[in-house]
Amino acid sequence: MTTGIHHVTAITRNVQKNVDFYAGFLGLKLVKQTGGYEDAEQLHLFYGDALGSPGSIITFLVWQDGAPGRVGLGALSEVAFTVPKNSLGDWLTRAMTAGIQVSGPTRELGETVLRLRDPDGIVVKLVGGDALATAPLADPVAPTRIHGVTLLSEDAQATADFLVRFGYSEALRDGPFIRLRSDQDVVDVRASAGFVPALPGTGMFDHVAFRARDVDALRQMRLDLRTQDGVTQNGVTNVHDRKYFLSLYVREPMGTLIEYATDAPGFTVDEDAAHLGETLMIPATDATRAADLRVTLPQFARPGEERRPMRDLPFVHRFHTPDTPDGSTIVLLHGTGGNEADLMPLAAKLNPRATLLGVRGRATEEGITRWFRRFDAVTYDQADIRAEARAFVAFVEGATRSYGLDPKTTTFLGYSNGANLLGAILRLHPGVVQRAILLRGIEALEDAPTADLTDSDVLLLTGAQDPFGRMVPPLEASLTSGGATLNTQIIDAGHDLSPEDVRIAAKWLAKIPQGEPR
């Protein structure tokens, strides 16, 4: 019987730091990067041995800049990797040199353990052992496989009894721990009655997956689980095709999410072994929007690759760099409820070779992201507009210095609330925005200052059925009176964006004179 852990999945808030830790510091191989199979707008990274063999894999869902979760009951609290028995001293030195939080070595359940924390605060233990890698990595002290996981349970015995069905049996008891052992690894169930329940978020484990021999074993497990008392309410799912394995999900009686996954077909089904993890894969169910997803999903640099160091600036922001950049940049300001990636697919259609810089507004309204506060749909907090405009100007100045942006080849594109802020910045801080595309922009300022806009080129696109269209003429008049070169058009649309926006904006952008690319 195939037994043991297939993979462990957690959630990270910073893709670059995650890659630096797991592929850089730990030395695991990034064997696959995909859009998520439940949500293709969520990047999913897989690390493991040289082939991503079952039992070596840890995966991460990327919630870029997402809210942190809370370790607690009904979830995993730790993951442990086996490393060569005599290498713990080397790992302690490496961790201290790299500035990684580390404690130990200590003795836990009869084993020598180093305890690390990854950039999200996830506990990663290194356990000295003799387990060999199925597909060894080049580094002789690299992790060979997953040694085990720890689960926090309100009723440790109930959780342990449930896990026996996946090929585990009780190996020992030590204080609050029940240790279960398979042919390959261990699961430590920690009795934690009275502790707080887990909350989902970054820095948390999502689930542990156990190995199924084949699809027949998977289907039999599903049938067995459905006939067990008290299991159905825990959400036994249908069999899912994850391309690299088939799987089902169930929650054990105390709430921890369990996956049961087949070994085959594995990660070489769409990339050869020498090039695993090099291409961003998009699930077949989302093939029609693959181009948009490749722009939206966050980018990262592998260890040793040239990278753009991200700076601490007043606004959360993200770059997308095309394969062959032409030296131009489009800075993106989303609409109400959006984020820094929302407009990237649209901007990539305007100029596929432009570097995209998406920025996230700082104001919120009942949890919805905005660029400035409002009192109602058409009454805006004037002091907040001016404050956020000043902050954004500081961001632009910092980004220009830090990232080497060239104002002559930079275009600002805003939609709805983002366009409103850009329109305000044009008058409040003339010269900062020299080229702007305002999609569904309206006049947000109650007392717009007179400004010299003779060096500004502006495209203003308004939907004929846009309910806010009556607030556009004052913005047009103010920009025109300031001397801006204004191209304003009314298109057959409402407040939402349309293909006509893309066609007109791309044509306009191509005709606007730009400085020589750097």
Side-chain angles (χ1 to χ4, degrees):
M1 177 181 180
T2 300
T3 64
I5 293 170
H6 184 281
H7 67 267
V8 175
T9 293
I11 305 166
T12 180
R13 78 184 308 269
N14 187 306
V15 65
Q16 187 60 65
K17 290 182 179 179
N18 185 266
V19 172
D20 289 345
F21 181 85
Y22 287 93
F25 174 73
L26 280 186
L28 299 175
K29 183 177 178 62
L30 177 63
V31 294
K32 195 65 60 179
Q33 49 170 321
T34 78
Y37 278 79
E38 291 294 326
D39 178 4
E41 295 181 11
Q42 182 173 255
L43 183 63
H44 197 171
L45 303 181
F46 297 74
Y47 306 91
D49 66 14
L51 293 176
S53 306
S56 74
I57 308 162
I58 184 167
T59 91
F60 284 88
L61 304 169
V62 178
W63 295 6
Q64 196 71 5
D65 296 302
R70 182 178 70 192
V71 176
L73 295 172
L76 279 68
S77 63
E78 301 174 334
V79 64
F81 288 92
T82 300
V83 295
K85 185 175 294 185
N86 297 322
S87 69
L88 288 180
D90 293 333
W91 279 108
L92 177 60
T93 301
R94 284 189 184 190
M96 295 174 67
T97 301
I100 302 294
Q101 186 177 344
V102 59
S103 62
T106 59
R107 294 289 289 179
E108 298 181 9
L109 298 174
E111 299 168 332
T112 304
V113 175
L114 274 184
R115 190 178 284 267
L116 311 171
R117 285 192 181 270
D118 80 357
D120 289 291
I122 289 174
V123 175
V124 177
K125 299 194 296 188
L126 301 182
V127 181
D130 298 320
L132 300 177
T134 303
L137 297 159
D139 186 345
V141 300
T144 57
R145 59 179 302 108
I146 291 177
H147 175 77
V149 294
T150 302
L151 280 64
L152 302 184
S153 176
E154 182 82 21
D155 184 339
Q157 189 62 59
T159 297
D161 290 345
F162 184 86
L163 297 182
V164 166
R165 72 190 69 238
F166 297 104
Y168 286 83
S169 59
E170 184 174 323
L172 64 86
R173 293 185 179 231
D174 186 347
F177 291 97
I178 302 175
R179 167 158 284 190
L180 305 175
R181 189 179 297 278
S182 72
D183 294 341
Q184 302 290 337
D185 48 46
V186 299
V187 174
D188 294 327
V189 183
R190 180 167 185 161
S192 306
F195 194 48
V196 296
L199 292 178
T202 62
M204 282 289 297
F205 292 97
D206 186 72
H207 64 268
V208 58
F210 296 114
R211 294 174 66 182
R213 180 184 66 254
D214 53 29
V215 67
D216 289 336
L218 192 73
R219 289 169 176 157
Q220 187 59 53
M221 178 66 76
R222 181 170 181 268
L223 292 174
D224 293 345
L225 287 170
R226 289 177 65 87
T227 60
Q228 294 294 311
D229 291 339
V231 172
T232 301
Q233 63 263 36
N234 292 330
V236 181
T237 66
N238 295 325
V239 173
H240 297 275
D241 184 352
R242 302 307 194 203
K243 187 175 184 179
Y244 311 108
F245 48 84
L246 300 176
S247 71
L248 61 81
Y249 296 86
V250 65
R251 289 192 182 274
E252 54 88 13
M254 295 299 104
T256 304
L257 183 61
I258 306 295
E259 187 177 10
Y260 193 49
T262 61
D263 283 0
F267 294 113
T268 57
V269 69
D270 55 6
E271 289 179 298
D272 63 57
H275 298 284
L276 284 176
E278 293 182 4
T279 301
L280 173 59
M281 302 297 180
I282 302 299
T285 51
D286 291 280
T288 57
R289 57 181 186 138
D292 288 353
L293 290 168
R294 293 184 190 281
V295 175
T296 302
L297 294 171
Q299 295 179 312
F300 57 88
R302 292 172 177 77
E305 289 183 341
E306 183 178 354
R307 63 182 62 189
R308 185 197 307 270
M310 296 303 290
R311 304 302 184 187
D312 185 13
L313 296 175
F315 292 82
V316 172
H317 57 287
R318 184 202 300 179
F319 280 95
H320 173 81
T321 304
D323 292 336
T324 56
D326 63 5
S328 68
T329 303
I330 305 178
V331 181
L332 306 171
L333 286 73
H334 60 79
T336 298
N339 62 42
E340 62 274 21
D342 274 6
L343 294 174
M344 286 186 173
L346 181 146
K349 293 180 176 69
L350 303 187
N351 180 1
R353 297 185 59 198
T355 296
L356 309 180
L357 173 53
V359 191
R360 186 192 304 173
R362 305 190 305 181
T364 58
E365 182 178 286
E366 298 181 348
I368 297 174
T369 308
R370 289 180 51 83
W371 288 96
F372 50 81
R373 293 190 296 264
R374 63 182 177 180
F375 301 117
D376 59 42
V378 294
T379 308
Y380 307 118
D381 185 330
Q382 297 299 302
D384 199 45
I385 292 175
R386 284 165 166 76
E388 291 305 296
R390 286 193 299 272
F392 191 81
V393 169
F395 169 83
V396 172
E397 292 171 347
T400 299
R401 289 193 305 270
S402 300
Y403 302 128
L405 304 185
D406 184 352
K408 295 180 180 178
T409 60
T410 299
T411 300
F412 293 79
L413 186 154
Y415 165 59
S416 189
N417 185 232
N420 298 346
L421 183 69
L422 282 179
I425 291 171
L426 279 163
R427 276 84 50 76
L428 295 172
H429 302 276
V432 173
V433 175
Q434 299 178 19
R435 184 180 305 107
I437 299 173
L438 308 182
L439 305 178
R440 310 301 181 271
I442 62 175
E443 179 60 270
L445 294 174
E446 293 178 0
D447 186 17
T450 301
D452 182 1
L453 303 178
T454 53
D455 292 330
S456 298
D457 290 289
V458 181
L459 173 65
L460 178 60
L461 297 183
T462 302
Q465 294 83 45
D466 188 345
F468 300 102
R470 61 183 175 81
M471 300 175 69
V472 176
L475 176 60
E476 292 182 63
S478 179
L479 295 175
T480 302
S481 65
T485 302
L486 179 64
N487 182 333
T488 179
Q489 298 186 41
I490 298 176
I491 64 175
D492 185 15
H495 195 70
D496 291 339
L497 296 173
S498 74
E500 191 71 355
D501 290 288
V502 175
R503 186 189 68 79
I504 295 172
K507 186 177 180 180
W508 178 87
L509 186 61
K511 289 183 177 179
I512 294 297
Q514 300 191 30
E516 290 297 321
R518 287 176 290 109

